Amino acid sequence: MTYLLFNPLSNNSQGESDAKAWAEANNVSPEFTSVIGLDYKDFFGKLAADDEVILAGGDGTVNRFANDVYGLPISNPLYLVKCGTGNDFYKDVEEYEVDGKIDLLPFIKRLPLVSVNGIQQRFLNGVGFGVDGDTCLIGDEIREKDPGADINYSGIAIKHLLTKFQPKHATVEVDGEVTEIDHVWIASAMNGRYYGGGMMAAPEQNRLNEDGTCTVTVFSSVGRLPTLLRFPTFSGGKHEGKKFLIKFTGKHIKVTFDAPCALQIDGETVKDVSTYSVDCD
């Protein structure tokens, strides 16, 4: 038996229809199961040895699923198919795709843990602190007023960078080594290469690296116009060796700003953050 798990709230409440469209297009006749309120321990515990599970969804759905099943002894085949509006995770691991599916288990067995404002959560792609976090917050506010709004995150980021966002002084601690950095616009902790709808913040990061480390990328630049001109280089992953990009690699990370702003965890926003920490298993 094949079970296809879907999130009915994903992709502006098109999650179920997206999952059924994928099944029809790929000639699969699964048992469709909503992830809302699903008891995963009970669900996986009742599966037969030859049952397979397919999760249909984007970054938000995969993040929530990975957190909910973290530590469970899953022995059945578990795959991911791409559905939803945000697919940074899928883009990062697309080379592992076979017949339109990706074996999900290797990528969710070991995930970093972010601690921020009393919240602890595993993340798939990255934690964004600064302009990117504020951009997600503004997008949330637009969607709250107009649930069907077509949100241009790149446009929001550029406008915010040019007008309201004030660069911060950052204290970055990685595996006990502390660095002070001025004029910081973004300070991200990356488990994968992509976040924020295709921004390649950490082009050399390998989520399956043997050391289990994350990459911290700090975008530091003086002046709004020079920062704007450098932003495409940063988002396009062409910033290796550039002076405005400071990179760290480690397992225990703490970033503190001298003034609060928003932070995003795989696209989910946390308001009024001054500091966050990441611990890699």
Side-chain angles (χ1 to χ4, degrees):
M1 173 69 73
T2 296
Y3 293 86
L4 202 159
L5 307 182
F6 66 91
N7 178 2
L9 303 180
S10 69
N11 195 15
N12 297 317
S13 299
Q14 298 298 308
E16 183 173 3
S17 60
D18 287 347
K20 290 182 176 179
W22 180 89
E24 182 177 356
N26 289 274
N27 197 29
V28 177
S29 300
E31 180 77 22
F32 291 96
T33 304
S34 170
V35 299
I36 303 297
L38 185 62
D39 184 331
Y40 288 108
K41 184 177 182 180
D42 180 70
F43 172 77
F44 282 103
K46 290 180 177 179
L47 294 181
D50 58 349
D51 288 339
E52 71 171 13
V53 179
I54 301 173
L55 177 67
D59 292 328
T61 298
V62 182
N63 174 288
R64 187 69 267 151
F65 176 84
N67 275 274
D68 288 343
V69 304
Y70 201 79
L72 287 182
I74 299 174
S75 57
N76 295 82
L78 174 62
Y79 302 102
L80 173 69
V81 298
K82 183 170 60 174
C83 292
T85 54
N87 291 288
D88 287 316
F89 171 74
Y90 206 97
K91 184 174 184 178
D92 193 37
V93 302
E94 198 165 15
E95 63 186 284
Y96 297 95
E97 181 184 85
V98 177
D99 296 329
K101 302 181 294 184
I102 287 174
D103 184 0
L104 187 57
L105 276 177
F107 300 105
I108 63 173
K109 285 184 176 180
R110 185 185 70 190
L111 291 173
L113 180 73
V114 59
S115 301
V116 55
N117 288 9
I119 300 167
Q120 287 194 320
Q121 183 177 322
R122 304 282 170 179
F123 63 94
L124 286 167
N125 301 319
V127 175
F129 194 21
V131 170
D132 46 353
D134 274 12
T135 296
C136 286
L137 177 60
I138 295 168
D140 290 346
E141 293 170 348
I142 294 172
R143 187 175 286 111
E144 186 174 340
K145 295 177 182 178
D146 181 5
D150 185 12
I151 299 173
N152 183 340
Y153 285 100
S154 295
I156 293 171
I158 291 171
K159 182 178 179 180
H160 194 52
L161 185 153
L162 282 174
T163 56
K164 294 184 178 181
F165 186 83
Q166 297 297 323
K168 317 299 183 188
H169 176 87
T171 303
V172 181
E173 181 178 348
V174 179
D175 293 344
E177 295 291 329
V178 178
T179 305
E180 304 285 342
I181 307 171
D182 284 323
H183 310 294
V184 173
W185 300 83
I186 295 174
S188 305
M190 302 296 299
N191 182 48
R193 293 176 294 168
Y194 299 94
Y195 78 155
M199 290 174 56
M200 190 188 287
E204 295 186 348
Q205 171 65 16
N206 176 8
R207 63 176 68 241
L208 295 180
N209 75 81
E210 292 182 359
D211 295 330
T213 55
C214 284
T215 297
V216 182
T217 56
V218 181
F219 183 12
S220 171
S221 177
V222 179
R224 293 187 186 276
L225 184 56
T227 300
L228 177 63
L229 294 174
R230 291 164 177 160
F231 191 76
T233 301
F234 170 76
S235 62
K238 299 177 181 179
H239 46 64
E240 288 295 323
K242 302 294 185 181
K243 292 183 179 180
F244 63 81
L245 196 286
I246 304 166
K247 183 179 73 173
F248 308 88
T249 303
K251 301 189 73 170
H252 305 288
I253 298 156
K254 183 177 181 181
V255 178
T256 302
F257 278 178
D258 63 347
C261 59
L263 173 144
Q264 63 88 13
I265 307 168
D266 287 344
E268 298 297 319
T269 311
V270 183
K271 299 179 181 180
D272 299 321
V273 175
S274 293
T275 186
Y276 75 89
S277 62
V278 167
D279 290 294
C280 306
D281 288 342

